């Protein structure tokens, strides 16, 4: 990339040609990072390339290529927008081939900032909301999604306040997904001081009609209710005592 014949235009043309390869080799992702550092003015072009790459199915890639892709994605976070990652979130969190990189994806989403404003491109409540909108198609995928939920909740950006905001947003979903009930249990164990807040949430959930829910969701609800019975019943007692 330091050869005299290399110019911004010829490098861009070369990358465009590389996009014809199927599958894209691991070296391609290393090239994107080098080009980004050498030609900052190509940021818009590289942003488009990253979006095209993200749109491809990566499930068939070997481990070396996947690692190169994730490293490049992290290095190019100023040109690869969080909206693009959110769009392919199901591919990352539900596919067994990507499980070693789920934590990196969460970190990438929670640390990315808008180049112009410096504001986060995706807030913690936003990510919680988007994560719960992912719909697993099998019980096995639901188990994978639940396991990754714990990693999401352990992210540094997660605080008591942002998690509570995320749960409030999730109450907008209709129907509430099975994962929501798993989240309540995890949050209760991680943030005991949210017991009153969770008590209110449980009461709102109980008031909803669950008859139309699928079996997985109903089971998740009853498991959560059993785990959260302390805050649920405490809420009821407080209401009775205040009358």
């Amino acid at each position: 990339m330091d050869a005299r014949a290399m110019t911004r235009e010829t490098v861009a043309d070369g990358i465009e040609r590389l996009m014809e390869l199927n599958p894209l080799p691991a070296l391609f992702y290393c090239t994107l990072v080098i080009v980004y550092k050498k030609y900052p003015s190509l940021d818009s072009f590289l942003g488009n390339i990253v979006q095209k790459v993200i749109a491809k199915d990566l499930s068939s890639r070997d481990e070396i290529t996947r690692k190169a892709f994730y490293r490049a994605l992290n290095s190019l976070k100023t040109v690869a927008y969080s909206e693009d990652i959110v769009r392919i979130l199901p591919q990352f969190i539900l596919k067994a081939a990507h499980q070693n990189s789920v934590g990196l994806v969460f970190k990438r989403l929670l640390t990315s900032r808008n180049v112009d404003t410096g504001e986060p491109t995706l807030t913690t409540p936003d990510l919680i909301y988007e994560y719960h909108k992912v719909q697993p198609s099998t019980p096995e995928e639901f188990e994978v999604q639940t396991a990754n939920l714990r990693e999401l909740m352990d992210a540094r950006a997660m605080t008591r306040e942002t998690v509570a905001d995320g749960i409030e947003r999730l109450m907008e979903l209709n129907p509430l997904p099975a994962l929501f009930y798993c989240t309540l249990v995890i949050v209760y164990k991680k943030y005991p001081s949210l017991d009153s807040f969770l008590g209110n949430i449980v009461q709102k959930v109980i008031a909803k009609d669950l008859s139309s829910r699928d079996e997985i969701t109903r089971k998740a609800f009853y498991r959560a209710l059993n785990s959260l019975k302390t805050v649920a019943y405490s809420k009821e007692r407080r209401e009775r005592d205040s009358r």
Side-chain angles (χ1 to χ4, degrees), residues 90 93-96 99 131 134-148 179:
I93 64 177
L94 299 181
K95 303 300 182 184
Q99 293 313 298
Y131 189 86
V134 174
Q135 297 181 349
S137 57
T138 66
E140 291 75 21
E141 286 188 347
F142 176 67
E143 290 299 323
V144 172
Q145 187 182 21
T146 303
N148 288 330
L179 191 70

Side-chain angles (χ1 to χ4, degrees), residues 60-77:
S60 61
R61 307 300 188 258
D62 61 84
E63 186 64 19
I64 293 177
T65 305
R66 282 197 298 271
K67 285 183 178 179
F69 166 72
Y70 296 129
R71 283 196 296 268
L73 196 61
N74 189 54
S75 298
L76 295 166
K77 59 187 177 183

